[in-house]
Protein backbone atom coordinates (compact mmCIF):
# COMPACT_ATOMS: atom_id res chain seq x y z
CA UNK A 1 0.00 0.00 0.00
CA UNK A 2 1.39 3.36 -0.94
CA UNK A 3 2.11 6.17 1.47
CA UNK A 4 -0.68 8.19 -0.15
CA UNK A 5 -3.23 5.40 0.37
CA UNK A 6 -2.25 5.00 4.02
CA UNK A 7 -2.48 8.76 4.53
CA UNK A 8 -5.94 8.78 2.90
CA UNK A 9 -7.11 5.93 5.16
CA UNK A 10 -5.81 7.66 8.27
CA UNK A 11 -7.55 10.90 7.27
CA UNK A 12 -10.85 9.09 6.70
CA UNK A 13 -10.51 7.36 10.07
CA UNK A 14 -9.89 10.67 11.85
CA UNK A 15 -12.79 12.40 10.09
CA UNK A 16 -15.36 9.71 10.82
CA UNK A 17 -14.15 9.50 14.43
CA UNK A 18 -14.49 13.25 14.91
CA UNK A 19 -17.72 13.58 12.88
CA UNK A 20 -19.84 10.45 13.42
CA UNK A 21 -22.48 11.62 10.93
CA UNK A 22 -19.88 11.15 8.19
CA UNK A 23 -19.48 7.52 9.23
CA UNK A 24 -23.02 6.64 8.12
CA UNK A 25 -22.37 7.96 4.62
CA UNK A 26 -19.00 6.25 4.45
CA UNK A 27 -20.45 2.91 5.52
CA UNK A 28 -23.34 3.20 3.08
CA UNK A 29 -20.98 4.01 0.21
CA UNK A 30 -18.53 1.25 1.15
CA UNK A 31 -20.85 -1.59 0.33
CA UNK A 32 -23.26 -4.15 1.77
CA UNK A 33 -22.54 -5.27 5.31
CA UNK A 34 -25.12 -7.97 5.64
CA UNK A 35 -24.43 -11.64 5.38
CA UNK A 36 -26.92 -14.24 4.30
CA UNK A 37 -25.27 -16.77 6.60
CA UNK A 38 -26.81 -17.69 9.93
CA UNK A 39 -24.82 -16.31 12.86
CA UNK A 40 -24.02 -19.19 15.22
CA UNK A 41 -24.97 -17.46 18.48
CA UNK A 42 -25.29 -19.86 21.35
CA UNK A 43 -27.29 -18.95 24.44
CA UNK A 44 -25.41 -19.34 27.73
CA UNK A 45 -25.96 -22.67 29.43
CA UNK A 46 -25.06 -21.44 32.90
CA UNK A 47 -25.18 -18.20 34.90
CA UNK A 48 -22.59 -15.55 34.08
CA UNK A 49 -21.12 -15.81 37.57
CA UNK A 50 -20.19 -19.42 36.73
CA UNK A 51 -18.67 -18.59 33.34
CA UNK A 52 -15.09 -18.20 32.12
CA UNK A 53 -14.84 -15.08 29.94
CA UNK A 54 -12.33 -14.15 27.24
CA UNK A 55 -12.02 -11.04 25.08
CA UNK A 56 -11.70 -10.96 21.31
CA UNK A 57 -10.89 -7.52 19.95
CA UNK A 58 -10.52 -6.01 16.48
CA UNK A 59 -8.38 -3.16 17.79
CA UNK A 60 -5.03 -4.37 16.47
CA UNK A 61 -3.47 -4.56 19.94
CA UNK A 62 -0.57 -6.96 20.44
CA UNK A 63 2.44 -7.57 22.67
CA UNK A 64 5.53 -5.54 21.77
CA UNK A 65 7.46 -8.72 20.99
CA UNK A 66 4.85 -9.97 18.49
CA UNK A 67 4.88 -9.15 14.80
CA UNK A 68 2.75 -6.07 14.08
CA UNK A 69 -0.31 -6.42 11.89
CA UNK A 70 0.43 -5.79 8.20
CA UNK A 71 -0.62 -2.23 7.47
CA UNK A 72 0.96 -2.30 4.00
CA UNK A 73 -1.72 -4.60 2.59
CA UNK A 74 -4.73 -2.59 1.41
CA UNK A 75 -7.05 -5.50 2.22
CA UNK A 76 -5.80 -5.69 5.79
CA UNK A 77 -4.26 -8.53 7.77
CA UNK A 78 -6.56 -11.47 8.60
CA UNK A 79 -4.20 -13.01 11.16
CA UNK A 80 -4.68 -12.83 14.92
CA UNK A 81 -2.45 -12.34 17.93
CA UNK A 82 -2.66 -14.34 21.15
CA UNK A 83 -2.83 -11.96 24.11
CA UNK A 84 -1.56 -12.96 27.55
CA UNK A 85 -4.00 -11.24 29.90
CA UNK A 86 -1.51 -11.27 32.76
CA UNK A 87 1.34 -9.45 30.97
CA UNK A 88 -0.30 -7.29 28.28
CA UNK A 89 -0.91 -4.19 30.45
CA UNK A 90 2.67 -2.94 30.37
CA UNK A 91 3.64 -4.59 27.11
CA UNK A 92 1.45 -3.55 24.22
CA UNK A 93 1.35 -1.74 20.92
CA UNK A 94 -1.57 -1.02 18.64
CA UNK A 95 -0.97 -1.57 14.94
CA UNK A 96 -4.01 -0.16 13.18
CA UNK A 97 -4.21 2.83 10.84
CA UNK A 98 -7.98 2.87 10.49
CA UNK A 99 -9.01 4.48 13.76
CA UNK A 100 -7.61 7.03 16.18
CA UNK A 101 -6.21 4.94 19.03
CA UNK A 102 -4.39 7.75 20.85
CA UNK A 103 -6.58 7.29 23.95
CA UNK A 104 -6.20 3.49 23.85
CA UNK A 105 -2.43 3.99 23.63
CA UNK A 106 -2.72 5.56 27.10
CA UNK A 107 -5.37 3.25 28.57
CA UNK A 108 -5.61 -0.32 27.32
CA UNK A 109 -9.01 -0.77 28.99
CA UNK A 110 -10.62 1.30 26.23
CA UNK A 111 -10.14 -1.58 23.78
CA UNK A 112 -9.23 -4.52 26.01
CA UNK A 113 -11.05 -3.96 29.33
CA UNK A 114 -9.20 -6.55 31.38
CA UNK A 115 -8.99 -4.40 34.52
CA UNK A 116 -12.75 -3.79 34.47
CA UNK A 117 -13.43 -7.47 33.86
CA UNK A 118 -11.09 -8.42 36.70
CA UNK A 119 -13.15 -6.10 38.95
CA UNK A 120 -16.33 -7.88 37.81
CA UNK A 121 -14.68 -11.18 38.65
CA UNK A 122 -13.80 -9.90 42.14
CA UNK A 123 -17.42 -8.79 42.61
CA UNK A 124 -18.69 -12.23 41.56
CA UNK A 125 -20.46 -10.96 38.44
CA UNK A 126 -18.40 -13.25 36.20
CA UNK A 127 -16.94 -16.57 37.24
CA UNK A 128 -13.39 -16.07 36.04
CA UNK A 129 -11.40 -14.25 33.43
CA UNK A 130 -9.49 -16.37 30.93
CA UNK A 131 -5.71 -15.91 30.83
CA UNK A 132 -5.62 -15.85 27.03
CA UNK A 133 -7.42 -13.37 24.78
CA UNK A 134 -7.26 -12.67 21.03
CA UNK A 135 -6.72 -9.65 18.82
CA UNK A 136 -7.42 -9.05 15.16
CA UNK A 137 -6.90 -5.97 13.02
CA UNK A 138 -10.42 -4.85 12.21
CA UNK A 139 -9.90 -3.65 8.65
CA UNK A 140 -10.18 -6.85 6.60
CA UNK A 141 -11.48 -6.77 3.06
CA UNK A 142 -11.44 -8.40 -0.36
CA UNK A 143 -9.31 -11.47 -0.79
CA UNK A 144 -8.71 -11.84 2.97
CA UNK A 145 -12.36 -12.33 3.97
CA UNK A 146 -12.32 -16.11 3.21
CA UNK A 147 -9.10 -16.50 5.22
CA UNK A 148 -10.53 -14.55 8.14
CA UNK A 149 -13.80 -16.45 8.25
CA UNK A 150 -12.71 -19.87 7.03
CA UNK A 151 -9.40 -20.25 8.82
CA UNK A 152 -8.48 -17.62 11.44
CA UNK A 153 -11.87 -17.24 13.15
CA UNK A 154 -12.21 -21.02 13.32
CA UNK A 155 -8.73 -21.33 14.88
CA UNK A 156 -9.63 -18.78 17.56
CA UNK A 157 -12.96 -20.50 18.22
CA UNK A 158 -11.17 -23.83 18.67
CA UNK A 159 -8.64 -22.24 21.04
CA UNK A 160 -11.47 -20.71 23.08
CA UNK A 161 -13.17 -24.12 23.31
CA UNK A 162 -9.86 -25.72 24.35
CA UNK A 163 -9.51 -23.09 27.10
CA UNK A 164 -13.05 -23.90 28.30
CA UNK A 165 -14.24 -20.34 27.66
CA UNK A 166 -18.01 -20.00 28.10
CA UNK A 167 -18.51 -16.36 27.10
CA UNK A 168 -16.63 -14.05 24.75
CA UNK A 169 -16.73 -10.27 24.92
CA UNK A 170 -16.17 -8.79 21.47
CA UNK A 171 -14.62 -5.31 21.51
CA UNK A 172 -14.44 -3.34 18.27
CA UNK A 173 -11.88 -0.73 17.40
Amino acid sequence: MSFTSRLKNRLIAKLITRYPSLAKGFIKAYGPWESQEVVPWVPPTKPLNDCRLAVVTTSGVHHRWQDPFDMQDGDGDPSFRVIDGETIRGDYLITHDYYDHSDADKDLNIILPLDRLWELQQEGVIGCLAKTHYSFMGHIDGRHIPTLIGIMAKQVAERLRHDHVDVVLLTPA
Side-chain angles (χ1 to χ4, degrees):
M1 177 185 282
S2 72
F3 173 77
T4 306
S5 295
R6 290 186 74 202
L7 186 60
K8 178 191 83 170
N9 289 334
R10 286 181 179 180
L11 178 61
I12 290 170
K14 285 186 186 286
L15 285 172
I16 64 175
T17 299
R18 177 157 316 258
Y19 305 104
S21 60
L22 292 175
K24 290 179 186 177
F26 179 77
I27 290 169
K28 195 174 199 179
Y30 194 76
W33 291 91
E34 297 174 9
S35 170
Q36 301 307 315
E37 295 182 29
V38 175
V39 177
W41 297 112
V42 177
T45 58
K46 54 187 176 182
L48 189 57
N49 62 358
D50 288 336
C51 290
R52 178 184 307 252
L53 185 143
V55 179
V56 174
T57 182
T58 58
S59 64
V61 67
H62 56 89
H63 290 278
R64 290 181 187 278
W65 52 266
Q66 292 173 316
D67 289 337
F69 289 96
D70 182 1
M71 295 307 307
Q72 302 304 312
D73 188 328
D75 286 338
D77 181 344
S79 65
F80 64 89
R81 304 294 179 270
V82 176
I83 303 298
D84 180 337
E86 295 180 357
T87 64
I88 189 69
R89 286 168 191 82
D91 172 43
Y92 73 95
L93 293 172
I94 301 169
T95 305
H96 205 310
D97 287 348
Y98 299 98
Y99 75 100
D100 177 3
H101 49 79
S102 56
D103 289 331
D105 289 333
K106 298 173 197 164
D107 183 2
L108 179 64
N109 284 286
I110 291 172
I111 55 173
L112 194 70
L114 298 178
D115 291 336
R116 303 299 75 84
L117 291 168
W118 184 83
E119 290 167 0
L120 291 174
Q121 177 183 313
Q122 298 303 66
E123 294 170 12
V125 175
I126 62 173
C128 68
L129 191 55
K131 292 182 179 171
T132 303
H133 309 276
Y134 299 90
S135 178
F136 290 88
M137 188 194 88
H139 171 80
I140 311 299
D141 201 8
R143 71 188 193 285
H144 291 317
I145 296 290
T147 303
L148 175 69
I149 294 171
I151 299 171
M152 299 301 172
K154 288 181 179 180
Q155 287 179 8
V156 169
E158 184 54 40
R159 288 168 176 254
L160 291 165
R161 273 192 290 275
H162 182 265
D163 289 344
H164 305 286
V165 170
D166 303 299
V167 176
V168 175
L169 175 65
L170 303 173
T171 64

